[in-house]
Amino acid sequence: MRQGDYLLTVPAQDADFVVGNPPYIRSDDLLPSARQAYLGMCSTMTPGSDIFVGFIEAGLRSLKRGGVLSYIVADRWMHNSYGRRLRGLVTDCYAVEAVCEMHGVNAFAEDVSAYPAITQIRRSRQDGAIYAAATERFDQAAAHRFMSWVQGGTKRSEDPDFRAARLPGWFHTEGMWPSASPERIALLETLNDAFMPLEDPATGTRVGIGIATGADDVFVTGNEALVEPDRMLPLVTTAHIKSGHLDGHDKWLVNPWDDAGDLVELGAYPQLEAYLVTKTDRLARRHIAQRSPADWYRTIDKVHPRLRGAPKLLLADMKATIQPVLDPGFGYPHHNLYWITSAGWDLEVLGGILLSRVAQMFVEAYGVKMRGGTLRFQAQYLRLIRVPAPSSVSPSLAGRLRQAFKMRDVGEATAAALETYGLKHLPD
Ligand SMILES: C[S@@+](CC[C@H](N)C(=O)[O-])C[C@H]1O[C@@H](n2cnc3c(N)ncnc32)[C@H](O)[C@@H]1O
């Protein structure tokens, strides 16, 4: 028996088993001197990490080859930004063998606010993995049935007290690991292996977010004739795509950028100059202007010349469902809108796939869920949606996807998308 600070002990790399119930201490609650010392010892901890991240790393590093760690610990690190380095370490050197999520189970003697999962990780090459989720009724008898299922051969469990699935592998990335039912986790893992991400140089597909100005009251206007016509850019906002189609042309961006991506010379645009000068105080107060005072009239993001006039799919952030809308090249997207452009895809066919519940499943598993069921999509998660190669979509399926997209028919889009992915159904 040894007593000491687990994170400050250099591990010997000789353990066959590491079993633990690590403490949860948020970074803000650590003494600064202790946090500093932990950061020096644990390369996966960042200034924002909870202490349990260090406990997972220290446990993993003490394993000998073939050794296995099993912790009951919060699974936040699998899905958040401070877990990135730990996911990287696990991906590079270890194998996730089992994750048994116990969010609904009263697992501890005292109430603990963290959502725990029993997590088993081995020092070996990644092979198959098990993902399980216990229901509130999960008890000792269910635990025994779960262990029999683990040792048995079926792919999915039918037990009323837990859901469980066998995965052919694990998510080989330090990027976000998805959060969903075991059946969906298994499907996502299979799709991740079989298909390419939506954003892909091979199909010339790009995903981004619309322009943030830092002063919409100055740069966004309903007056098309406010300044020189070639400085007025039609803008598309969330309100314009609410109906599922692009409606109304009543907003313009006062565009201070030229086609090379530089700020225009104000002297060349007397009306623009006169207008912006009346707003100098407001514009110069912005953080972005203070960083570079000569650029006081810039918008936070640049206007990308390639996005101007390009056909694109637009998606509004903070919606319960993913609703792509086609802009044939009319406007420039405002922030709160994500855009997708593609050289290789017929955007209406891609729109049908993105309208389907298959795409919705990706967004639900990776996106951040807000109260009331709305989802924060974030471009980084949209990029992760896996899609078949455009060339693999048969003309008849392409026709069905296109039609479903035009009619906003989610059911038909899902049916056609499932066929496109070679799937029979979508698990709950
Ligand atoms: C969640 S409790 C688990 C206790 C016990 N292993 C169990 O399962 O009942 C976490 C324990 O870790 C201890 N602890 C916190 N920080 C520690 C550190 N840096 N090194 C070693 N132990 C620590 C706490 O005092 C607490 O007893």
Side-chain angles (χ1 to χ4, degrees), residues 23-271:
Y24 305 153
I25 308 175
R26 285 205 320 251
S27 150
D28 291 345
D29 296 332
L30 286 170
L31 284 175
S33 56
R35 187 169 48 209
Q36 235 12 69
Y38 296 157
L39 287 173
M41 287 295 283
C42 303
S43 64
T44 64
M45 282 184 80
T46 63
S49 302
D50 194 296
I51 194 174
F52 73 75
V53 169
F55 268 72
I56 300 175
E57 176 182 339
L60 290 174
R61 292 206 193 277
S62 70
L63 293 173
K64 70 182 189 194
R65 202 174 287 275
V68 63
L69 167 143
S70 184
Y71 276 176
I72 181 161
V73 65
D75 57 6
R76 284 196 291 274
W77 66 276
M78 300 185 185
H79 316 300
N80 71 14
S81 57
Y82 74 57
R84 174 173 291 273
R85 292 189 195 171
L86 184 55
R87 292 191 296 271
L89 178 73
V90 171
T91 299
D92 288 345
C93 308
Y94 298 86
V96 174
E97 281 195 339
V99 177
C100 307
E101 178 244 274
M102 302 179 66
H103 294 185
V105 184
N106 191 5
F108 299 102
E110 288 170 33
D111 271 350
V112 173
S113 59
Y115 291 121
I118 295 175
T119 305
Q120 184 166 305
I121 304 175
R122 191 178 293 276
R123 186 173 207 130
S124 70
R125 282 171 67 91
Q126 181 70 53
D127 199 357
I130 281 171
Y131 196 94
T135 68
E136 281 169 28
R137 292 185 306 272
F138 194 83
D139 58 8
Q140 203 169 357
H144 285 295
R145 294 199 304 279
F146 175 62
M147 287 315 295
S148 316
W149 175 81
V150 168
Q151 281 144 21
T154 60
K155 255 182 133 175
R156 309 264 183 275
S157 92
E158 306 286 339
D159 197 285
D161 292 347
F162 60 87
R163 300 172 71 168
R166 278 176 225 280
L167 283 58
W170 190 254
F171 303 90
H172 193 78
T173 171
E174 64 169 19
M176 211 68 83
W177 294 347
S179 163
S181 70
E183 296 83 354
R184 284 191 166 199
I185 293 274
L187 178 57
L188 287 164
E189 213 282 319
T190 309
L191 295 178
N192 281 3
D193 278 354
F195 298 103
M196 294 301 284
L198 174 61
E199 183 163 84
D200 184 2
T203 59
T205 306
R206 299 189 55 192
V207 179
I209 186 159
I211 187 166
T213 67
D216 282 353
D217 51 323
V218 175
F219 289 106
V220 179
T221 173
N223 176 6
E224 189 183 1
L226 187 63
V227 299
E228 285 83 358
D230 66 332
R231 294 293 98 216
M232 301 301 294
L233 199 58
L235 193 71
V236 184
T237 68
T238 41
H240 294 125
I241 64 164
K242 225 184 199 135
S243 69
H245 298 278
L246 192 57
D247 298 321
H249 302 174
D250 58 358
K251 287 277 184 287
W252 285 265
L253 180 79
V254 176
N255 178 15
W257 301 98
D258 67 18
D259 282 351
D262 297 318
L263 283 171
V264 294
E265 291 292 340
L266 287 180
Y269 294 97
Q271 287 177 289

Side-chain angles (χ1 to χ4, degrees), residues 338-377:
Y338 297 104
W339 52 262
I340 301 165
T341 55
S342 182
W345 275 101
D346 173 331
L347 287 176
E348 288 179 324
V349 175
L350 181 61
I353 292 177
L354 295 178
L355 183 68
S356 77
R357 284 195 287 272
V358 184
Q360 175 79 14
M361 171 181 70
F362 278 92
V363 171
E364 285 174 1
Y366 287 101
V368 180
K369 287 155 207 93
M370 315 294 283
R371 226 175 284 161
T374 52
L375 288 164
R376 288 234 62 180
F377 293 165

